[in-house]
Amino acid sequence: MNNIKNVRIFFTAALLYSMNINAQSSINGQVKTTGSGQPVPFAVIGIKNTQLSVVCDDNGTFKFNRLPNGTYVLITKSLGYHDRTDTLNVMGDLVFDPALTPSNKQLEEIVVNATRVDNTSGMAFSNVDAETIKKQNLGQDAPYMLNQLTSVVVNSDAGNGVGYTGLRIRGTDPTRINVTINGVPVNDAESQGSFFVDMPDLVSSVNNIQVQRGVGTSNNGAGAFGASINFQTNELKEKAYANVISTAGSYNTNRNTLAAGTGLLNDKFTLDARASKISSNGYIDRASSDLSSYYVAAGYYGKKTVIKFINFSGFEKTYQAWYYVNEDSIKAGNRTYNEVGQYTDANGKIRYYNNETDNYKQDNFQLHFVHQLNARMSVNVTGHYTKGKGYYEQYKQGQSFSDYNLNDPGLFLSDSTPVTSTNLIRRRWLDNDFAGGIFNLNYTATSKLNFILGGGYNTYFGRHFGKVIWAQYASNGEIDHQYYHNTANKNDGNIYLKTNYKPIKNLNVFLDLQVRYLEYRFPGFDSNYVEQTQTQAYTFFNPKLGLSYTLNKYFNVYASAAMANKEPNRDDFVQNKPKNRPKPEQLLDIEAGLKYSRKMVTAAVNFYNMQYKDQLILNGEVNDVGSPKRVNVDKSYRRGVELEATLNINRFVSVAGNLTLSQNKIPNFVEYIDSANADYSVYTQHKNVYKNTDIALSPNIISSVVLTLKPVKNLEITFVNKYIGRQFLDNTSNTKRSIDPYNVLDLRVNYSVKTKLIPEIGLMLGVYNILNEVYETNGYTFSYYYDSANLTTSNYKAPAAPLNFLAGVNIRF
């Protein structure tokens, strides 16, 4: 009997347990304002570590259905209010009315929301928050803060991440990556590249960064042809603060930063400021950097209005290292050899000109006006102006007088040899102005439908000129003899409409329609080889569609299709006659993925297929004026899968990583190689045809693994591993013209101490390349035939530093 009784008790308990496990409950309620109790319409409530979220209706009411009983963390957000976090123990249907406290801090989000995406967009992206930036900000340039992100490859001219640096995303180069700061375009209007060296220590004033892979959402400025990077600078800090950062390390690298802010004065006004100084000798010979910058922001915060003025400026002086190192020198063990500035003196000795430098100053001004018209509508209007001016200086030997608009001096050497050339020092200048305005209007129609209407208009005016500041034989040259001068003007306008619509529960539809118009006036060659000002205009339509569906509280599936069009760059216009100018490029980007999120584990997989039409590439061909020519390739593509995962094993150990496997191909590629006969009297070009060849500098494998250990309170030890597969230097898939795969391990240590006198003292240490890997991060190649038969190939690569370190202290008041 006792056995039968025990069995009954067991099955009864099991049944009750099963009923409890399978019990489902609901959470419903109304979001209100603290104090007044007024409803907060269209607030967003998400459940932490799940894919579940709801948008309140226009009366602030919401409901979660069919939730298994358990404990949930709810995060409630709404524009103009402080975020609220609540932990609820759900054991049956529950009524919950969260109250939000008004805050003008959140109004700033309007400035960047128009250019950003979230999990409802159906697009691939990564976010970097302020805490992550702080832990790795030891003075290296902005691209190195993104090195751990999916599909990112970074490079450095000087070899240690200070000075001229760059990055590629999915193999896409910087001229095809759209960069904005607070929504304001950064890419140079003519070259279309972004030069982070002109904004030293920018990340010390950045609160968060979003990197969108693929076409992404519509942005202001140059078209995103593979990725976009959006920086948001310092958000409102309600309390006064001061921050001192000092860093020192290998290659005489030093960085000092001082930042301070008033906090919210009289509950309405703020003032933030930062000054930075960075210097380094660089790993490569003479690849020195002397960088300085400042950032100032003054803000007014009303109940429904924010006005913010931002001015940041940077100055850089870097010894040129952009030619990289010849592969023969690398193989001979001379990895730091820098040929820039090298010349032979009158006695035949090799010397180096000590001022072969790049010098540039850039001043940026932004004025943001943000206003919440009502619960449904808000508006942001931004005006901006950027002034850039600088030059690079070079010592040149044996230069022709005619190339510098100098007369033949009619001089003879002591042996009666006529003087036909001169040694000289030249400066090539760029003096430009970039100004414009952007706007976005945010409208929430219902809890299921909202719109963003935005756009902008920008104008660029650039002056390009060169000066001879010294010449061995000056001829008719004056002081600062100007030997060329031309101007260019580019006007760029766009308008877009973005819509989020929720037709059924758990499904979100994202639609983004953009029209972009640009007009470029530039000095170019007409059909008769006469240089004169010319004009080219384009109108582009860039549609995007994204779908996102929440399968359950853990899984979200999404897909998107997006199109982008992009104009040629300055050289394509200036160095070609009208009939030979390349066509614009076009990209169709189709992506789909799955995301999984729980308390201890997050994971995602993203598939992408980027189909290019008329992609512009270098193929070795020269145009009709003798310059390297970019040509349109009819078809090319980038296809791949991106895997991401994070595992929080316990409070002491976590692991995060990402892996990109891709194919980057040109189905039909024609290579041209210069050829000369034995006495260089006849020049031709060899032609080689390739099928299904790899796109240059686009590795098929990119991975990152980050292991974080927290053995004791306030101590964090992080190991970062980065693997990059083979990168070909041109489009021929020739391993003799490639960068070998490399695997690099870094170590980062962060420790903080809190005292009564000083609120926080942070100690930072970065040890890079701790396994002393020998590798290069970037490069280029060129080949030629001598005597029409003998092929010579020269590879130039950017060697990275061996084991090196940076250590710093961050004192916060």
Side-chain angles (χ1 to χ4, degrees), residues 389-394 396 401-406 424-431 462-470 477-487 531 570:
K389 187 174 184 179
Y391 64 90
Y392 64 91
E393 184 169 315
Q394 295 175 308
K396 305 294 289 186
F401 290 102
S402 60
D403 288 344
Y404 293 85
N405 286 328
L406 295 172
L424 54 81
I425 299 172
R426 70 186 187 189
R427 287 179 177 176
R428 293 192 167 186
W429 283 84
L430 173 61
D431 182 1
R463 292 160 289 276
H464 303 258
F465 56 94
K467 292 184 176 183
V468 177
I469 64 171
W470 173 86
E478 300 288 340
I479 296 176
D480 281 347
H481 169 71
Q482 186 169 287
Y483 65 96
Y484 74 88
H485 181 276
N486 59 64
T487 60
E531 190 173 357
R570 172 183 169 82

Side-chain angles (χ1 to χ4, degrees), residues 19 66 76 164 180 201 274 307 339 359 363 373 417 430 434 520 522 589 731-732:
M19 292 174 62
R66 301 174 62 185
T76 308
Y164 268 93
T180 59
D201 206 23
R274 172 189 57 81
I307 301 174
E339 68 180 56
N359 305 261
D363 298 303
L373 299 169
T417 302
L430 173 61
F434 179 62
Y520 185 37
F522 55 94
D589 179 22
N731 302 298
T732 63

Side-chain angles (χ1 to χ4, degrees), residues 587-600:
L587 169 61
L588 174 62
D589 179 22
I590 299 174
E591 313 218 3
L594 176 69
K595 294 182 178 180
Y596 174 76
S597 179
R598 297 195 74 163
K599 184 176 182 180
M600 304 297 290

Side-chain angles (χ1 to χ4, degrees), residues 190-210:
E190 293 190 283
S191 70
Q192 301 175 25
S194 297
F195 304 97
F196 295 101
V197 71
D198 299 335
M199 300 174 285
D201 206 23
L202 169 69
V203 293
S204 289
S205 296
V206 168
N207 183 65
N208 58 72
I209 307 169
Q210 183 176 90

